[in-house]
Amino acid sequence: MASPTQGAANPGIADLASRIYVELVGRAFLRAENTAVIKPDPAELAKLSLQLAETFRKVEKTVNAAAGPQNVGYNVELADMAKWDK
């Protein structure tokens, strides 16, 4: 949970970060001599997961904006809209 001094992460980013974290922990999990070992520090994996999720969302917004409809240079004046009412 987020502490009172630290703001909560965006719900979409938090969900994505938790999914990334689970995947990273699953890949970093080692089983050696009947003991479970997570090679990287779990706190560092959590930080990395949040950074990856934020970066992913930024790039996703950029790509979606580029793929959306673009203004092709139409210039509609107020006088043009007045003609529509006639």
Side-chain angles (χ1 to χ4, degrees):
M1 293 198 128
S3 66
T5 59
Q6 180 184 13
N10 182 339
I13 290 177
D15 182 51
L16 180 59
S18 67
R19 291 172 189 241
I20 292 171
Y21 180 77
V22 168
E23 184 68 27
L24 290 176
V25 168
R27 291 173 185 252
F29 179 79
L30 298 174
R31 185 178 174 130
E33 301 174 12
N34 284 338
T35 59
V37 178
I38 297 176
K39 195 67 171 171
D41 180 33
E44 291 300 317
L45 288 178
K47 289 178 190 176
L48 178 62
S49 299
L50 283 169
Q51 291 171 348
L52 289 172
E54 288 173 357
T55 303
F56 180 84
R57 291 296 184 210
K58 286 178 188 174
V59 171
E60 182 182 44
K61 285 181 183 179
T62 303
V63 169
N64 287 341
Q70 303 295 317
N71 186 354
V72 292
Y74 294 110
N75 188 12
V76 178
E77 300 290 330
L78 189 57
D80 296 328
M81 290 190 292
K83 294 176 188 175
W84 296 344
D85 290 335
K86 293 181 180 179

